[in-house]
């Protein structure tokens, strides 16, 4: 049973968060259909992990840089990147973000303050240090204080880049939020074969920084944690490590399957679905009616279909 604490959030804010988490889920479900139809050729799914991307993005200022990975669709939609252009990107269209050179998530948009991921999963952590250092230097001449945010998976924490980025951020007092999406597997390697500490947030102590482990499937917990940690990083000019526990409900990418995952894990984590649990909370607290949920889903589906049509009709 997932407990939600709205704190001082208004009903409208809670509903906006619902729309923000529903959109990437419904886009993904559509992409899986397109994949089966042969209209796209590759997809890295973030189904089951949306609360992290959405909660983080909604808690930041729009001009704070994010270094996402390949399951962070909620970062892209959260920054209101035009969906038709995203569809063009995923279909290899010349009018996509990388002019047809890349299909999935190794692209960014400077206008939206999103830095495209680097496939080796780790190097973007140091880029966040550089962005935070730039903010720090600019602040001395009167610019506003800001944080930089970098995502890593549990597998990425085994990369040397993770050590270098966290150590530099700690030593140079850089306002970086490092987020670990611990979804249980680095490709097909379970976390039990990856590290010996009890949890990955234990690594924060080794660098002399603060850290916290949270439920990555609880949208309000992620949102509230990021809000508070952002204030801490700015006020203290220090980095912070957040471990979000979650689970990957699809394969590493759609072609690779899930044969190595015990079936009971899917049953367990299906009960912790971030979208369904939040939806049930909103209905249970009379923040929305079941009919409003249907309307929101219909509007979202119509929006997705219209944007997809516009992308399909592009040369």
């Amino acid at each position: 049973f997932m407990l939600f604490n709205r704190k001082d959030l208004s009903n409208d804010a809670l509903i906006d968060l619902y729309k923000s988490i529903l959109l990437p889920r419904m886009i993904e479900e559509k992409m899986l259909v397109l994949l089966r139809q042969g209209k796209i050729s590759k997809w890295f799914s973030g189904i089951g992990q949306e609360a992290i991307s959405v909660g983080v993005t909604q808690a930041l200022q729009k001009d704070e840089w994010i270094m996402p990975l390949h399951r962070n669709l909620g970062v892209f939609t959260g920054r209101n990147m035009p969906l038709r252009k995203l569809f063009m990107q995923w279909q290899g269209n010349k009018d996509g973000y990388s002019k047809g050179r890349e299909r999935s998530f190794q692209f960014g948009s400077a206008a939206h303050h999103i830095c495209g991921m680097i496939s080796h999963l780790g190097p973007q952590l140091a880029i966040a240090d550089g962005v935070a250092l730039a903010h720090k230097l600019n602040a001395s001449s009167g610019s506003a204080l800001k944080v930089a945010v970098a995502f890593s998976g549990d597998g990425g924490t085994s990369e040397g880049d993770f050590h270098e980025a966290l150590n530099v951020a700690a030593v140079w007092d850089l306002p970086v939020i490092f987020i670990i999406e611990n979804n249980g597997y680095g490709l097909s390697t379970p976390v039990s074969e990856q590290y010996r500490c009890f949890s990955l947030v234990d690594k924060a102590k080794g660098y002399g920084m603060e850290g916290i482990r949270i439920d990555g499937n609880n949208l309000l917990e992620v949102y509230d944690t990021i809000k508070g940690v952002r204030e801490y990083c700015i006020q203290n000019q220090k980095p912070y490590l957040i471990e979000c526990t979650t689970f990957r409900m699809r394969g590493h990418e759609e072609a690779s399957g899930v044969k190595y995952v015990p079936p009971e894990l899917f049953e367990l984590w299906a009960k912790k679905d971030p979208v369904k649990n939040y939806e049930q909370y909103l209905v249970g607290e009379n923040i929305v009616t079941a009919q409003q949920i249907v309307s929101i889903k219909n509007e979202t589906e119509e929006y997705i279909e219209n944007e997809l049509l516009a992308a399909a009709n592009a040369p």
Side-chain angles (χ1 to χ4, degrees):
F1 184 69
M2 202 175 284
L3 292 171
F4 291 94
N5 185 349
R6 67 184 291 173
K7 297 204 170 172
D8 57 353
L9 289 171
S10 67
N11 282 1
D12 285 346
L14 292 171
I15 294 168
D16 283 344
L17 280 169
Y18 174 67
K19 291 176 180 176
S20 296
I21 197 172
L22 182 67
L23 179 58
R25 170 64 61 89
M26 291 186 69
I27 290 171
E28 287 230 39
E29 288 170 348
K30 185 66 181 178
M31 296 309 279
L32 295 180
V33 172
L34 295 179
L35 190 71
R36 288 194 288 272
Q37 292 174 344
K39 291 179 180 174
I40 57 166
S41 56
K42 191 174 192 174
W43 190 250
F44 289 93
S45 177
I47 287 177
Q49 299 183 201
E50 298 95 340
I52 304 171
S53 304
V54 172
V56 168
T57 309
Q58 298 302 322
L60 297 174
Q61 303 291 315
K62 294 289 184 192
D63 61 351
E64 289 179 313
W65 279 89
I66 304 178
M67 289 71 192
L69 293 176
H70 48 303
R71 302 189 202 287
N72 299 130
L73 175 57
V75 171
F76 292 77
T77 55
R79 284 281 166 89
N80 297 318
M81 291 172 78
L83 186 50
R84 64 185 62 188
K85 190 161 179 171
L86 287 172
F87 278 131
M88 288 177 193
Q89 172 71 24
W90 296 325
Q91 293 179 310
N93 190 296
K94 69 180 178 64
D95 291 323
Y97 283 94
S98 60
K99 300 185 173 73
R101 288 194 292 268
E102 215 298 311
R103 294 188 306 283
S104 43
F105 284 98
Q106 284 93 336
F107 66 94
S109 168
H112 299 88
H113 293 82
I114 295 173
C115 178
M117 68 168 270
I118 300 164
S119 275
H120 317 310
L121 307 186
Q124 70 271 25
L125 298 173
I127 296 173
D129 286 354
V131 170
L133 179 59
H135 287 321
K136 197 164 179 133
L137 294 173
N138 290 338
S140 61
S141 59
S143 295
L145 292 166
K146 298 188 181 302
V147 296
V149 175
F151 283 83
S152 171
D154 45 276
T157 66
S158 303
E159 297 277 346
D161 300 87
F162 180 83
H163 160 74
E164 293 172 16
L166 267 70
N167 194 57
V168 166
V171 172
W172 289 1
D173 293 321
L174 301 175
V176 184
I177 302 175
F178 295 103
I179 294 165
I180 304 169
E181 294 186 280
N182 190 343
N183 64 13
Y185 286 84
L187 210 154
S188 59
T189 305
V191 291
S192 59
E193 295 176 25
Q194 281 189 65
Y195 53 84
R196 284 289 177 263
C197 48
F198 173 72
S199 60
L200 288 167
V201 77
D202 293 345
K203 292 177 182 278
K205 295 189 190 77
Y207 300 106
M209 71 169 71
E210 295 294 318
I212 190 171
R213 188 185 204 205
I214 63 171
D215 180 356
N217 282 22
N218 185 320
L219 179 57
L220 297 189
E221 188 172 335
V222 175
Y223 177 81
D224 184 61
T225 300
I226 298 294
K227 278 275 189 194
V229 168
R230 181 186 176 274
E231 286 176 20
Y232 167 89
C233 291
I234 285 175
Q235 287 172 6
N236 297 284
Q237 288 297 290
K238 287 184 181 298
Y240 204 102
L241 182 65
I242 303 173
E243 179 184 2
C244 302
T245 56
T246 186
F247 190 72
R248 196 184 70 208
M249 294 299 283
R250 311 284 305 176
H252 170 68
E253 48 117 358
E254 287 305 309
S256 61
V258 291
K259 286 181 180 175
Y260 49 83
V261 183
E264 58 269 19
L265 282 179
F266 290 110
E267 292 175 31
L268 174 70
W269 284 92
K271 293 171 186 168
K272 301 180 184 182
D273 184 287
V275 180
K276 288 177 184 168
N277 275 281
Y278 186 58
E279 187 179 291
Q280 287 165 0
Y281 161 73
L282 294 180
V283 174
E285 294 291 312
N286 297 315
I287 294 160
V288 292
T289 63
Q291 188 56 46
Q292 282 174 293
I293 292 287
V294 172
S295 296
I296 291 168
K297 285 182 176 174
N298 288 340
E299 284 168 24
T300 306
E301 186 175 6
E302 188 179 351
Y303 168 59
I304 292 170
E305 292 295 340
N306 287 340
E307 294 293 291
L308 186 59
L309 190 62
N313 289 333

